[in-house]
């Protein structure tokens, strides 16, 4: 009943850092992706993505390595695009804005 988490500002990122710090050394799927159209990132819950308002891409990202990276992970406090087929922890929210779960695959 939820979606992968949308991180739209520093306040939301700080919420995640404070409450899930023990997981921050793992890669976590977040809801950002460009699966529909390359370089047009959207959040999985339908929230528009505006990188000029907030983004924390790691240096050199997104790079769509070999044309196969359409999903985004939170990795060491930064975002990295990666192949959607990778197995990772993931973070979901429900209702919109209320963080609820972190699961193993």
């Amino acid at each position: 009943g939820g979606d992968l988490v949308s991180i739209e500002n520093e306040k939301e990122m700080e919420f995640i850092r404070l409450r899930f710090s023990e997981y921050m050394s793992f890669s976590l799927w977040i809801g950002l992706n460009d699966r529909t159209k390359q370089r047009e990132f959207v959040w999985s819950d339908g929230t528009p993505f505006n990188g000029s308002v907030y983004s924390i891409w790691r240096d050199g990202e997104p790079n769509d390595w070999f044309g196969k990276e359409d999903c985004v992970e939170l990795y060491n406090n930064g975002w990295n695009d990666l192949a959607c087929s990778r197995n990772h922890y993931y973070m979901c929210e429900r209702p919109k804005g209320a963080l609820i779960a972190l699961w193993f695959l």
Side-chain angles (χ1 to χ4, degrees):
D3 287 288
L4 289 170
V5 68
S6 299
I7 307 170
E8 299 176 68
N9 55 54
E10 181 58 37
K11 184 177 178 182
E12 291 177 353
M13 187 64 228
E14 190 61 21
F15 177 88
I16 292 168
R17 281 186 191 118
L18 290 173
R19 285 161 184 83
F20 296 96
S21 60
E22 67 270 22
Y23 296 101
M24 296 308 287
S25 62
F26 297 101
S27 293
L28 305 168
W29 286 127
I30 60 174
L32 194 58
N33 70 81
D34 69 345
R35 296 176 88 173
T36 302
K37 186 172 182 184
Q38 285 300 316
R39 297 291 192 190
E40 286 189 20
F41 286 91
V42 296
W43 292 106
S44 60
D45 66 359
T47 303
F49 172 68
N50 186 341
S52 64
V53 172
Y54 184 76
S55 68
I56 52 172
W57 290 109
R58 295 178 55 81
D59 287 342
E61 300 298 341
N63 63 6
D64 196 28
W65 197 58
F66 286 104
K68 298 184 183 286
E69 296 184 328
D70 294 322
C71 292
V72 178
E73 65 177 342
L74 175 60
Y75 173 69
N76 285 337
N77 291 309
W79 298 346
N80 173 53
D81 63 332
L82 197 64
C84 301
S85 59
R86 297 283 299 268
N87 288 330
H88 277 325
Y89 294 99
Y90 54 93
M91 190 170 286
C92 295
E93 61 184 348
R94 189 192 90 202
K96 192 171 184 174
L99 202 57
I100 61 161
L102 180 68
W103 297 95
F104 289 95
L105 284 184

